Amino acid sequence: MELSESVLKGLQTLADPNVFDLKSFTTFTEVAFDSLDSSRGESVLGHPELRHIDQTTLKHCHTAATTFILEGVKQNADKSTISSCLEDVRFQNERVDTFYNSFQKNLESLLSSTDTCPPHITDAEWRLEYCYKGTFHVHKVNQPSYLISLNTERAGASSEINFSCTMDQLQDLVGKMKDAAKSLERATQS
Amino acid sequence: MMEEVDRILIHSLREAGTDIDEDVQSVKQFTSELIVEAVVKCLRVIDPALGNGLSHSLPPGMSARFRLGMSLAQACQDVGFKGEIGYQTFLYSNEPEIRSLFMFLVEKLPRESAEASDQPAGKSALLQRAIAAQIKEQSSVPWLPPSCRLPIHRKTQSSGPCYSFHAQPLSLPYSVKVSSRKQPKDVQEYWRNYLLPVTAQPSQHASVPASLLENHISELSATQEWESEWNSQGLLSRLTPEEYRSRKKARLQKRIEEQLRAAAQPRPDTHGATRSTSDLAELLQSFGGASTGGDVLTKGTRFTHTEKFTFTQEPEKAAQQMAAAASALPSSHQSEEDLKAQQEAELSALQQQLQQLSVQMEEVGGDIKQLTVSIQQVSDELQQKEVSNGEKENSIKMKRQTIDLLPDTENNLLKLQGLVEASSKRVVHLASQWEKHRVPLIDEHRRLKELCSNRESESSRKLSEIKDLHDKIRQSAEEAKKKESLYKQLLTEFETLSKDVSRSAYTMRILEIVGNIKKQKEEITKILSDTKDLQKEINSLTGKLDRTFAVTDELVFKDAKKDESVRKSYKYLAALHENCTQLIQTIEDTGTIMREIRDLEEQIDTENGKRTVSNLEKILEDYKAIRQENSALAAKIREG
């Protein structure tokens, strides 16, 4: 896992027992993970345990720690990678363990919510329509068509997609969906 | 050794689906039913079309069994078994035939494990496989309508809140370029007391990961680019990093300035663009002004000058006017129109004043200019006059001196000549001294130049070495990374592989067997060489014996004609020779017979293993059973 120099410097300061003793380190770890999890605002670093540390250093370490956490979650790093990265910046073993234990919290939801996805289809309704033109005209158009309404849902909000199609178009649509399913199965096998 | 083979065979047969009891340890213990079941199950795996037509249990009727045996034999031959096979192999089995049949069938069993293990390594292949695994996992969970979904489905089936990737620039409590001690005090105080922590800076909490990741990546890529540029061009230019950076910055600024100037040139076909180009020209002047250092404020435009002048006058005027207005205010309860008229009159008066003052200023400015020009002219004239004065004084001095020297012409001439000679001699002397000084200095100069060029070549050689080292470092780092990822991948694969039959036991066994075979080969060679030696000895001894006998025979025969005792000894000699030959012959025959005995004993063992007797008994019984069946069937036919 590659880290930039400022992140490494911040982590080194974090590992230094003169700046962060064990108690403030534990508090800091909790605070850092919390600040990523929910929006707490400016008071996130105002914990009484952390007041005795120079605020600029604290903010630098906070930036470095949050960047490191996000990079680790992004690359889905396992314990050995994270431990080796932290040991490279001279973290003591118990601090490595404390830090890694907080990693078990599920930050994946935070990263996976950064996503654009089309709405999911949850339900479908259809009606049959028959178009009939009377015998007075030369051409008789006796043609069925389908009125289809798909209920979609996206982020809890549901909406509808309505369209009409002839039988050929509907067969074409179903055929394409089957092709998509087949190619998905093929992808699982390769 | 056969137990190992049997164990492997039994294990593979169990994997193919045969139900073998736990206590069956060797092929010898296989009953006919078990054999038939095992063979059919293997055939089903090898070739489903072939195997599905055969039942895997022995039918009770003898003729049915016979038919099954024939079809099994045919199927095995279809699959490719080359040995002798028939119904007797299954119904009246013997160990070696069964073992070879099973080994053949187990070889034919398809190996599923071979496909899974040769998977290419590499990051993209890994990613593909991870994606495929995820898709498989997700598609194995059945889709539920939204009202029935449990929280575990929330991740995969319903889409949570979605935000697009929006990175906002962050304000960081450190600077990459300047160390934090050199930052001005205000910046440090801002960082310490007012700067928000990075997670609170973006306007939406959902942009926090995007902004942090973007910031990190931009820092990383900036350092990487700087490193690659420094390693390729920076080292070659032999400057320190700061010098290189400042030179590059100046170069870029000059280029930007040139481009902007070229773009800002008023083109002949545009008329109305003068206002924007003059602004641009001022902007460019401020670019240039920044490099010359702070002349901007002293220049100023015409606008600021007029401003300065008007506003210096304004406060006095304003004060006066304010006083006038203040005095005028309490005494007037005039109406609004009067007030307005008053104000307008004041305004026009002030505007007139402004115009007058500006006209005055222009006049004064023009006068100032003229005067400065004339001052310049006059000072120039003054300088010229002084120079010509100086020259004239010099010429006067010289003329005066010559006039003084005139009365005593000859002596003075001689003196002057002497002076001239002395000065020319001095010049020559000085020139030689200069030469003396010049030569060592030139040598020194040449030596230093050589030293310099040597040093340059040295440094360029060292630079190329450094470049090579950098390349090697990069390559070995990449290789190390690749090997680590390969190792991790192989480790995960190894953990997922099945562990029921341990490969290490197999390999150890194989190595043991190979060692045994080697030892046996050595022994065989030793025995062969011993045998050869013995044979050679026997040959030589026989030869010696024959020769000795022939010589003795001749010798004794010669003497035998004369002497009687010699004739007797000759007869004894012949008898001795004959007996010994017979003895040797007997010994050889004994050896041959012993070998034959051994061979026959081996044959007896193999024949015993074939269980021929029990098989024959079974055949007899089955024959009797078939005869009974035949008679029963014949009776049935006769009845109905």
Side-chain angles (χ1 to χ4, degrees):
Chain A
M1 196 155 74
E2 281 200 37
L3 297 170
S4 71
E5 243 193 76
S6 45
V7 171
L8 286 173
K9 257 195 251 175
L11 288 177
Q12 273 174 356
T13 322
L14 198 54
D16 190 359
N18 299 332
V19 183
F20 283 88
D21 58 353
L22 196 56
K23 196 154 172 229
S24 35
F25 176 80
T26 347
T27 324
F28 178 82
T29 320
E30 281 178 29
V31 157
F33 277 89
D34 277 342
S35 68
L36 278 177
D37 227 351
S38 57
S39 52
R40 275 315 155 72
E42 315 131 25
S43 60
V44 70
L45 290 178
H47 203 274
E49 284 287 333
L50 303 171
R51 285 241 177 89
H52 62 275
I53 307 173
D54 172 37
Q55 288 295 310
T56 318
T57 327
L58 189 64
K59 284 171 191 167
H60 187 162
C61 294
H62 174 69
T63 317
T66 43
T67 314
F68 176 69
I69 293 166
L70 281 173
E71 283 283 329
V73 176
K74 171 177 113 174
Q75 295 178 15
N76 208 13
D78 51 356
K79 180 158 192 196
S80 61
T81 325
I82 294 181
S83 319
S84 60
C85 274
L86 289 177
E87 278 163 8
D88 280 342
V89 278
R90 292 187 231 120
F91 261 55
Q92 298 156 352
N93 282 344
E94 53 213 16
R95 296 195 184 202
V96 172
D97 287 332
T98 320
F99 209 83
Y100 183 68
N101 287 339
S102 312
F103 252 95
Q104 311 290 9
K105 281 192 225 173
N106 204 357
L107 281 171
E108 286 179 18
S109 56
L110 182 67
L111 282 184
S112 66
S113 72
T114 310
D115 182 17
T116 46
C117 65
H120 288 201
I121 297 181
T122 52
D123 204 355
E125 295 168 350
W126 62 278
R127 276 176 25 221
L128 193 55
E129 179 191 52
Y130 194 77
C131 181
Y132 166 75
K133 271 196 184 167
T135 50
F136 297 122
H137 300 273
V138 184
H139 304 287
K140 277 197 192 166
V141 177
N142 297 334
Q143 217 182 35
S145 68
Y146 295 88
L147 297 172
I148 302 194
S149 152
L150 298 171
N151 290 350
T152 59
E153 182 190 59
R154 182 205 215 145
S158 55
S159 62
E160 283 190 0
I161 300 179
N162 300 323
F163 60 95
S164 82
C165 52
T166 65
M167 194 156 77
D168 296 328
Q169 289 170 334
L170 193 62
Q171 275 177 348
D172 192 28
L173 177 67
V174 172
K176 288 219 169 79
M177 290 205 286
K178 281 193 187 149
D179 281 342
K182 263 189 231 156
S183 65
L184 206 61
E185 276 205 35
R186 243 180 289 137
T188 62
Q189 278 161 7
S190 60
Chain B
M1 204 185 76
M2 284 300 155
E3 308 87 50
E4 280 293 332
V5 177
D6 283 353
R7 212 166 353 131
I8 296 173
L9 281 175
I10 290 175
H11 177 81
S12 318
L13 289 174
R14 277 209 188 107
E15 290 224 323
T18 326
D19 199 11
I20 306 182
D21 284 337
E22 285 297 324
D23 50 352
V24 172
Q25 290 294 338
S26 81
V27 169
K28 215 191 298 191
Q29 298 166 342
F30 271 42
T31 59
S32 304
E33 290 94 12
L34 202 49
I35 293 172
V36 166
E37 190 186 336
V39 170
V40 171
K41 287 267 166 68
C42 287
L43 281 174
R44 278 191 194 159
V45 175
I46 296 171
D47 192 347
L50 210 52
N52 281 335
L54 304 163
S55 100
H56 64 86
S57 56
L58 264 186
M62 203 47 237
S63 44
R65 281 196 202 183
F66 173 74
R67 243 179 293 135
L68 181 62
M70 288 300 298
S71 43
L72 273 181
Q74 184 61 39
C76 290
Q77 276 183 341
D78 285 341
V79 176
F81 187 64
K82 299 266 188 328
E84 212 185 281
I85 191 169
Y87 70 94
Q88 73 275 14
T89 335
F90 303 99
L91 299 176
Y92 316 112
S93 53
N94 61 3
E95 196 183 336
E97 282 184 18
I98 291 294
R99 194 172 281 130
S100 63
L101 178 64
F102 277 151
M103 286 209 292
F104 168 77
L105 286 174
V106 165
E107 287 273 316
K108 279 275 171 175
L109 282 177
R111 310 244 174 106
E112 327 88 3
S113 57
E115 298 150 10
S117 58
D118 313 334
Q119 278 167 346
K123 258 185 166 170
S124 60
L126 265 179
L127 188 62
Q128 288 265 31
R129 254 180 282 151
I131 292 175
Q134 269 283 28
I135 295 180
K136 211 174 189 179
E137 203 187 299
Q138 286 188 6
S139 50
S140 63
V141 178
W143 185 85
L144 296 174
S147 34
C148 309
R149 277 182 205 157
L150 300 173
I152 49 164
H153 297 131
R154 199 159 51 91
K155 212 163 101 174
T156 53
Q157 291 190 4
S158 18
S159 57
C162 289
Y163 308 99
S164 52
F165 186 92
H166 180 61
Q168 292 180 332
L170 299 170
S171 177
L172 300 168
Y174 53 83
S175 159
V176 195
K177 296 195 185 112
V178 180
S179 114
S180 57
R181 257 160 273 139
K182 294 190 200 146
Q183 293 282 358
K185 282 263 170 175
D186 331 352
V187 177
Q188 284 192 13
E189 195 183 312
Y190 170 64
W191 283 349
R192 185 168 301 128
N193 297 331
Y194 300 102
L195 181 63
L196 296 175
V198 274
T199 47
Q201 283 179 21
S203 49
Q204 282 187 335
H205 185 69
S207 319
V208 166
S211 322
L212 275 173
L213 287 172
E214 180 73 28
N215 178 45
H216 183 242
I217 290 281
S218 60
E219 275 185 23
L220 264 181
S221 53
T223 31
Q224 269 183 9
E225 266 204 45
W226 166 249
E227 278 211 23
S228 68
E229 192 188 330
W230 178 248
N231 285 341
S232 59
Q233 292 176 3
L235 283 177
L236 282 179
S237 69
R238 290 154 212 249
L239 303 163
T240 66
E242 293 85 17
E243 277 179 32
Y244 182 76
R245 265 194 243 246
S246 58
R247 253 198 224 182
K248 187 176 171 195
K249 184 170 172 185
R251 208 171 47 219
L252 284 174
Q253 245 184 346
K254 224 198 300 181
R255 267 180 73 181
I256 294 175
E257 207 182 311
E258 278 171 21
Q259 293 276 18
L260 282 176
R261 257 191 237 281
Q265 287 303 327
R267 285 182 288 181
D269 50 350
T270 58
H271 300 290
T274 45
R275 193 187 159 88
S276 56
T277 50
S278 67
D279 286 345
L280 193 52
E282 284 170 16
L283 190 64
L284 287 175
Q285 275 190 347
S286 72
F287 261 159
S291 60
T292 58
D295 292 333
V296 187
L297 294 177
T298 57
K299 273 195 201 168
T301 59
R302 220 172 64 196
F303 176 64
T304 50
H305 279 145
T306 46
E307 217 184 356
K308 240 191 264 178
F309 273 112
T310 43
F311 280 124
T312 42
Q313 299 248 350
E314 268 301 312
E316 298 151 16
K317 284 265 163 177
Q320 284 178 11
Q321 283 165 5
M322 293 257 283
S327 56
L329 263 182
S331 58
S332 64
H333 291 289
Q334 291 156 344
S335 60
E336 281 212 4
E337 291 102 16
D338 284 350
L339 210 55
K340 258 198 207 161
Q342 218 182 15
Q343 284 178 353
E344 281 187 15
E346 281 187 38
L347 186 63
S348 50
L350 287 171
Q351 276 185 349
Q352 273 187 5
Q353 274 188 355
L354 179 66
Q355 277 182 3
Q356 278 178 1
L357 285 171
S358 44
V359 163
Q360 276 181 9
M361 247 185 35
E362 280 188 27
E363 285 175 21
V364 166
D367 286 343
I368 289 178
K369 267 197 210 141
Q370 278 182 353
L371 287 173
T372 36
V373 164
S374 50
I375 286 177
Q376 193 73 14
Q377 280 179 349
V378 166
S379 48
D380 283 340
E381 276 186 28
L382 184 63
Q383 269 188 352
Q384 277 179 2
K385 291 245 165 83
E386 283 196 9
V387 164
S388 54
N389 261 4
E391 283 176 16
K392 284 192 185 141
E393 278 190 21
N394 282 347
S395 59
I396 287 178
K397 232 198 247 176
M398 208 173 307
K399 286 198 178 138
R400 203 173 285 167
Q401 279 183 345
T402 10
I403 290 177
D404 285 342
L405 286 175
L406 266 180
D408 199 4
T409 25
E410 289 195 7
N411 283 348
N412 287 339
L413 265 173
L414 281 174
K415 270 194 221 163
L416 279 172
Q417 274 179 3
L419 272 175
V420 167
E421 281 180 21
S423 52
S424 57
K425 267 195 222 155
R426 238 203 342 254
V427 165
V428 167
H429 178 65
L430 281 172
S432 65
Q433 275 195 338
W434 166 239
E435 268 303 315
K436 260 196 273 176
H437 270 249
R438 203 172 75 107
V439 167
L441 285 176
I442 284 191
D443 285 338
E444 182 76 18
H445 179 245
R446 235 180 268 149
R447 189 181 65 86
L448 287 172
K449 237 182 167 176
E450 261 187 56
L451 206 64
C452 198
S453 68
N454 279 356
R455 228 180 269 172
E456 266 199 38
S457 59
E458 267 277 329
S459 61
S460 46
R461 192 178 57 84
K462 284 210 176 122
L463 270 177
S464 60
E465 264 182 36
I466 288 176
K467 230 185 182 179
D468 285 338
L469 275 177
H470 269 301
D471 281 336
K472 266 196 222 161
I473 288 173
R474 210 173 21 96
Q475 268 179 5
S476 26
E478 272 181 33
E479 269 196 46
K481 254 189 243 170
K482 243 195 279 175
K483 294 233 166 102
E484 265 204 50
S485 64
L486 189 63
Y487 169 68
K488 264 197 209 150
Q489 188 198 346
L490 288 175
L491 205 61
T492 46
E493 271 191 37
F494 174 65
E495 277 168 21
T496 54
L497 278 181
S498 64
K499 286 230 178 84
D500 26 349
V501 195
S502 75
R503 280 168 68 97
S504 52
Y506 279 166
T507 40
M508 272 206 296
R509 235 357 240 177
I510 290 173
L511 288 173
E512 266 183 51
I513 292 174
V514 167
N516 279 350
I517 290 177
K518 250 197 239 169
K519 261 191 263 172
Q520 283 181 2
K521 199 171 169 193
E522 277 178 29
E523 279 181 23
I524 289 174
T525 20
K526 212 168 21 131
I527 291 176
L528 276 178
S529 63
D530 279 347
T531 319
K532 252 192 254 169
D533 288 338
L534 276 175
Q535 190 67 36
K536 257 195 251 171
E537 241 188 89
I538 291 176
N539 286 346
S540 71
L541 282 175
T542 335
K544 221 198 274 185
L545 173 68
D546 283 337
R547 283 194 294 273
T548 329
F549 178 65
V551 164
T552 332
D553 190 52
E554 253 194 63
L555 216 61
V556 172
F557 193 67
K558 251 196 285 181
D559 286 338
K561 289 190 207 153
K562 305 172 210 156
D563 209 351
E564 189 51 51
S565 55
V566 178
R567 214 180 294 162
K568 238 195 283 182
S569 58
Y570 179 72
K571 270 197 223 147
Y572 284 150
L573 178 69
L576 182 67
H577 185 71
E578 177 123 12
N579 287 344
C580 288
T581 338
Q582 269 190 4
L583 203 60
I584 292 172
Q585 190 64 36
T586 330
I587 291 176
E588 282 183 13
D589 287 341
T590 322
T592 329
I593 291 177
M594 299 248 347
R595 258 183 278 146
E596 279 183 24
I597 290 176
R598 238 184 293 142
D599 287 339
L600 284 171
E601 276 181 1
E602 270 187 43
Q603 276 189 13
I604 290 173
D605 281 335
T606 30
E607 287 298 323
N608 271 346
K610 283 194 194 163
R611 297 189 288 175
T612 333
V613 179
S614 56
N615 279 346
L616 280 174
E617 285 178 11
K618 245 197 271 174
I619 290 177
L620 221 54
E621 279 183 31
D622 294 338
Y623 172 64
K624 280 194 207 142
I626 286 187
R627 285 199 69 156
Q628 278 183 4
E629 277 182 25
N630 280 352
S631 48
L633 285 171
K636 246 196 231 170
I637 290 176
R638 254 180 274 132
E639 276 177 28

